[in-house]
């Protein structure tokens, strides 16, 4: 069967997404591949489809044992022979899995990197035909990435113990060029086919807010998004506790997650979230890797995270299924100091020498400043991030808090010329002013402290402009680097300012919309063309099935699939198979239950 045939029959999808087919075809030609694709792009399909087509077995290395079982359940729900070897298995199950593996019944074996270095696992692997090794979250192998895991360094030695080198397929959502180079080296990829699909996530709405009362703002947001699932990230364990308590007090089912809890509670809370028993999880950054819950509608950062890489990764856990979702960051300048403190006191990794550690720290501080500029900058948030990750993107995305409140670029060339020449003349008189004093001079208001400024030719040249607008332009010129602020907030001209006049450059500045639009992207997003009543009935049916089978609801069918069902209203097997996300096995298992709901809804049978 072709790759496309497998995609349809096993996963129920009609076509490949951007990049998937190419990666798969290179794997099938036994070439190593390295895929850098944003969360939700569909990395799993890129190795799951070829794993079913190659002879032998694929070993999938993934960072978190506790979540592997979910991934494996999702595959099993599609009738795919996948298993997971982890430390939580009792001896009987472990042996049962091993004998299935030895009988050649298993196509995909999920395991954590720690296991690779155990002699018993190496002995097992040597006896098998391992055709591919897949590494998920591969950036963890590099200490330049944001979540270095020493256990990932076990991978290459493990590959070398195998009698025949399998093809390597490795994936991540974030990798700077430096990290990507490290991955290639540390895993010894053989002339890999590298593919980056771009980092943009169109369905995500990005927003930065500075609420005076964060808790109040959070409660309001959560209440205005009833029935929606979300993650709230906090910077400390203490804050996680506090925020969870407040949410619960307000009657909102939320659970907490941080490294200070017992394993049992952490696992329990994570499952409550995945199985939709709690619609919110409040967590430190310890939460999230390997979570592939597709229907998370919002990710709120209660504090500014330490760098944009972490932010984009954490925020990216919203809207994996492609539905509109919101990523909101509550910014407060106190977050900077906390992050600086955390960088200064970050855990000492014994594998890193003092010099490297210093270098890492400097890098971390630089990254923190980039993060801060994201929060305070005057540009499209999406543009800022994508530009940082090396992607090209339009300067206006129309789907972030900046673009929603700023309509157009206003030409400020003339104003800029006037401001620069005014400062220039002031400096000639040895006068150094701050922004509000300069504004006064530009608008023709005499300064008590510097009466001589009134005699300048540039005094009052911006009379027609309001004080507020004038200050905004000056602030903008500082942010573009034409001017800078020195001691006592006094304004100075930079070299760029001289060039601006000399080369007759032009400049535009984003201006605020008169009436800002309401800030919500997914609040009440009932999809157009979807019968909401039928959708809710299908959701109920899904919940019943999921409960019976002890599966997370999204493993049965995702919201996207239920929406397609609403659109197509299938009542025959053929029609049901045409729904996106329905493969052969799911048709057999769930077809009747869901088609009954649709039949009853479209032509209700009378029971009397
Ligand atoms: P990633 O690992 O890149 O974050 P996933 O592999 O979890 O993304 O895929 C995200 C979602 O997209 C999943 O629900 C998956 O089933 C779905 N998906 C993947 N590939 C396709 C495709 N070709 N067509 C439709 N849906 C797809
Ligand atoms: Zn934007």
């Amino acid at each position: 069967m072709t790759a496309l045939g497998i995609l349809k029959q096993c996963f129920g999808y009609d076509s490949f997404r951007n990049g998937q087919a190419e990666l798969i075809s290179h794997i099938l030609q036994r070439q190593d591949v390295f895929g850098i694709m944003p969360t939700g792009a569909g990395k799993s399909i890129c190795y799951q489809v070829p794993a079913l087509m190659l002879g032998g077995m694929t070993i999938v290395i993934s960072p978190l044992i506790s979540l592997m079982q979910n991934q494996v359940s999702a595959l099993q729900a599609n009738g795919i022979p996948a298993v997971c070897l982890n430390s939580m298995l009792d001896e009987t199950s472990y042996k049962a899995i091993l004998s299935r593996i030895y009988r050649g019944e298993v196509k995909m074996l999920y395991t954590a990197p720690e296991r690779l270095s155990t002699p018993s696992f190496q002995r097992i692997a040597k006896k098998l035909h391992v055709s591919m090794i897949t590494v998920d979250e591969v950036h963890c192998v590099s200490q330049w990435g944001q979540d270095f895991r020493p256990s990932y360094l076990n991978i290459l030695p493990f590959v070398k113990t195998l009698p025949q080198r399998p093809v390597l397929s490795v994936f991540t959502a974030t990798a700077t060029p430096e990290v990507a180079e490290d991955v290639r080296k540390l895993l010894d990829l053989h002339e890999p086919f590298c593919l980056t699909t771009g980092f943009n996530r169109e369905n995500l709405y990005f927003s930065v807010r500075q609420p005076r009362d964060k808790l109040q703002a959070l409660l309001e947001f959560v209440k205005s998004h009833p029935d929606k699932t979300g993650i709230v990230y906090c910077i400390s364990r203490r804050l996680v506790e506090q925020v969870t308590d407040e949410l619960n007090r307000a009657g909102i089912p939320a659970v907490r997650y941080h490294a200070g809890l017992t394993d049992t509670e952490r696992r329990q809370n994570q499952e409550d979230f995945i199985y939709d028993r709690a619609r919110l999880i409040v967590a430190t950054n310890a939460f999230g890797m390997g979570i592939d819950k597709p229907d998370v509608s919002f990710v709120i950062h209660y504090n500014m995270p330490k760098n944009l890489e972490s932010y984009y990764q954490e925020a990216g856990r919203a809207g994996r299924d492609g539905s509109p979702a919101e990523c909101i960051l509550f910014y407060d300048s106190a977050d900077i100091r906390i992050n600086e403190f955390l960088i200064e006191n970050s855990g000492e990794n014994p594998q890193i020498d003092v010099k490297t550690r210093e270098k890492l720290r400097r890098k971390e501080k630089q990254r923190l400043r980039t993060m801060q500029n994201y929060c305070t900058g005057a540009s499209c948030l999406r543009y800022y991030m994508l530009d940082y990750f090396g992607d090209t993107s339009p300067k206006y995305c129309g789907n972030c808090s900046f673009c929603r409140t700023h309509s157009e670029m206003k030409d400020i060339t003339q104003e800029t010329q006037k401001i620069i020449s005014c400062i220039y003349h002031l400096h000639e008189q040895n006068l150094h002013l701050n922004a509000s004093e300069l504004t006064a001079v530009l608008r023709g208001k005499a300064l008590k402290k510097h009466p001589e400024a009134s005699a300048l030719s540039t005094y009052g040249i911006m009379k027609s402009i309001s004080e507020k607008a004038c200050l905004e332009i000056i602030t903008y010129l500082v942010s573009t680097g034409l001017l800078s602020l020195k001691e006592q907030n006094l304004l100075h001209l930079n070299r760029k300012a001289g060039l601006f006049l000399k080369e007759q450059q032009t400049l535009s500045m984003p201006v605020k919309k008169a009436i800002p639009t309401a800030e919500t992207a997914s609040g009440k997003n009932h999809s157009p063309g979807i019968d909401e009543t039928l959708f809710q009935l299908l959701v109920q049916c899904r919940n019943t099935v999921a409960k019976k089978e002890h599966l997370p609801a999204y493993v049965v069918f995702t919201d996207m699939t239920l929406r397609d069902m609403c659109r197509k209203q299938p009542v025959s097997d053929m029609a049901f198979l045409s729904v996106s996300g329905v493969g052969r096995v799911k048709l057999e298992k769930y077809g009747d239950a869901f088609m009954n709901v649709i039949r009853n809804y479209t032509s209700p049978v009378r029971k009397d």
Side-chain angles (χ1 to χ4, degrees), residues 30 34 39 61 105 123 192 202 272 318 331 373 459 500 555 575:
R30 308 287 198 279
F34 185 0
T39 312
I61 298 155
E105 288 172 15
R123 254 195 323 276
E202 266 171 27
D272 282 349
Y331 171 72
N373 287 339
Y459 181 77
F500 185 86
V555 168

Side-chain angles (χ1 to χ4, degrees), residues 31 129 133 138 144 186 202 249 298 311 338 363 374 403 430 453 484 487 490 498-499 501:
Q31 184 184 1
H129 173 197
I133 297 215
V138 74
W144 305 114
L186 293 170
E202 266 171 27
R249 204 166 298 148
F298 56 85
Y311 181 64
I338 305 175
K363 260 215 136 90
Y374 171 82
C403 291
N430 217 4
S484 57
E487 308 86 75
L490 298 181
L499 290 178
L501 294 185

Side-chain angles (χ1 to χ4, degrees), residues 66-228:
S66 54
L67 293 156
M68 265 176 232
Q69 194 49 54
N70 287 327
Q71 282 154 15
V72 167
S73 304
L75 287 167
Q76 288 169 346
N78 279 319
I80 294 165
V83 296
C84 131
L85 271 188
N86 64 44
S87 47
M88 291 187 289
L89 292 169
D90 58 42
E91 190 159 339
T92 329
S93 333
Y94 185 83
K95 283 198 173 138
I97 289 180
L98 271 193
S99 44
R100 281 189 61 201
I101 293 175
Y102 284 133
R103 283 199 303 271
E105 288 172 15
V106 169
K107 291 304 285 181
M108 268 177 261
L109 166 66
Y110 280 69
T111 193
E114 285 77 12
R115 184 169 293 272
L116 303 177
S117 58
T118 64
S120 64
F121 187 74
Q122 293 185 356
R123 254 195 323 276
I124 298 168
K126 259 186 219 158
K127 289 188 221 153
L128 303 170
H129 173 197
V130 180
S131 46
M132 172 159 71
I133 297 215
T134 292
V135 186
D136 203 7
E137 313 276 7
V138 74
H139 63 278
C140 293
V141 78
S142 168
Q143 66 181 13
W144 305 114
Q146 70 278 25
D147 10 54
F148 172 53
R149 296 199 168 211
S151 60
Y152 266 62
L153 297 171
N154 295 339
I155 298 172
L156 182 61
F158 169 75
V159 172
K160 290 195 167 150
T161 65
L162 296 172
Q164 245 195 337
R165 184 185 183 276
V167 63
L168 260 67
S169 60
V170 306
F171 300 88
T172 178
T174 46
T176 56
E178 198 177 20
V179 171
E181 188 45 44
D182 236 14
V183 166
R184 255 177 248 141
K185 259 200 283 203
L186 293 170
L187 292 179
D188 187 26
L189 298 182
H190 291 181
E191 294 175 14
F193 169 71
C194 299
L195 185 129
T196 308
T197 55
F199 292 95
N200 190 21
R201 301 271 313 276
E202 266 171 27
N203 60 318
L204 299 188
Y205 168 75
F206 289 97
S207 158
V208 175
R209 295 197 199 164
Q210 294 195 41
R212 225 170 291 148
D213 183 343
K214 288 188 179 186
L215 189 62
Q216 195 54 36
L218 176 67
L219 285 171
E220 272 168 26
F221 181 91
V222 171
K223 284 182 186 159
S224 68
H225 291 65
D227 311 322
K228 298 279 178 192

Side-chain angles (χ1 to χ4, degrees), residues 283-569:
T284 59
N285 60 6
F287 173 79
M289 185 137 33
I291 294 277
D292 55 2
K293 190 169 167 57
D295 54 358
V296 176
S297 295
F298 56 85
V299 173
I300 294 182
H301 278 75
Y302 205 77
N303 306 96
M304 179 182 80
K306 61 181 195 263
N307 56 45
L308 260 187
E309 287 89 343
S310 309
Y311 181 64
Y312 203 58
Q313 195 178 31
E314 287 159 11
R317 291 179 181 132
R320 281 181 102 112
D321 61 2
S323 309
E326 293 177 69
C327 309
I328 297 174
L329 195 159
F330 286 173
Y331 171 72
D332 171 354
S333 54
D335 297 341
I336 302 167
R337 286 193 299 280
I338 305 175
N339 273 299
E340 277 171 350
F341 176 84
L342 291 175
I343 293 173
E344 283 304 331
N345 297 281
S346 59
E348 314 275 271
N349 185 335
Q351 293 186 345
I352 298 175
D353 60 66
V354 180
K355 229 173 107 197
T356 315
R357 193 174 307 142
E358 262 322 297
K359 196 171 157 202
L360 281 170
R361 256 182 211 152
R362 270 201 306 280
K363 260 215 136 90
E364 280 300 311
K365 287 203 176 149
Q366 219 175 326
R367 286 180 175 170
L368 179 60
R369 276 192 291 280
T370 312
M371 185 72 241
Q372 187 189 343
N373 287 339
Y374 171 82
C375 298
T376 56
S379 68
C380 164
L381 297 176
R382 182 174 265 102
Y383 172 77
Y384 184 85
M385 281 192 282
L386 294 179
D387 185 54
Y388 176 71
F389 292 125
D391 248 12
T392 47
S393 120
K395 291 214 157 148
Y396 274 84
C397 74
N399 194 24
C400 75
S401 56
F402 180 83
C403 291
R404 290 271 178 96
T405 47
H406 293 77
S407 56
E408 70 238 298
M409 298 297 272
K410 179 173 177 272
D411 184 87
I412 52 159
T413 306
Q414 279 194 11
E415 288 85 349
T416 308
Q417 288 165 347
K418 287 177 183 169
I419 291 170
I420 294 174
S421 69
C422 184
I423 300 179
Y424 182 76
H425 286 129
L426 285 163
H427 286 187
E428 275 186 340
Q429 306 293 321
N430 217 4
L431 280 175
H432 291 269
L433 304 184
N434 64 28
S436 58
E437 289 164 345
L438 177 68
T439 302
V441 172
L442 287 164
R443 300 184 63 245
K445 301 258 180 301
L447 292 176
K448 274 205 194 112
K449 209 164 113 195
H450 305 293
E452 64 273 40
S454 315
L456 292 176
S457 59
T458 44
Y459 181 77
I461 44 170
M462 284 171 73
K463 258 201 181 94
S464 57
I465 292 176
S466 76
E467 185 183 346
K468 188 166 162 277
C470 196
L471 277 170
E472 273 173 6
I473 298 177
I474 295 172
T475 311
Y476 186 69
L477 297 185
V478 171
S479 79
T480 59
L482 285 165
L483 310 181
S484 57
L485 288 176
K486 299 226 166 124
E487 308 86 75
Q488 297 162 3
N489 287 328
L490 298 181
L491 289 160
H492 286 250
L493 291 174
N494 287 336
R495 221 173 68 81
K496 273 169 102 179
L499 290 178
F500 185 86
L501 294 185
K502 203 165 130 215
E503 294 175 357
Q504 300 189 337
Q505 295 172 5
T506 59
L507 187 67
S508 299
M509 168 181 142
V511 285
K512 286 209 170 187
K513 273 185 186 169
I515 316 152
T517 50
E519 190 196 53
T520 177
S522 67
K524 294 175 186 64
N525 69 317
H526 290 161
S527 317
I530 297 293
D531 183 330
E532 193 55 30
T533 318
L534 177 58
F535 182 75
Q536 289 308 332
L537 290 171
L538 293 171
V539 168
Q540 274 171 26
C541 177
R542 174 177 69 180
N543 291 348
T544 314
V545 172
K547 240 198 188 119
K548 211 167 75 201
E549 306 207 358
H550 305 289
L551 287 174
Y554 68 81
V555 168
V556 176
F557 285 131
T558 62
D559 283 359
M560 287 296 237
T561 298
L562 294 191
R563 266 184 235 125
D564 202 34
M565 237 177 255
C566 283
R567 244 174 256 125
K568 295 181 174 146
Q569 307 200 348

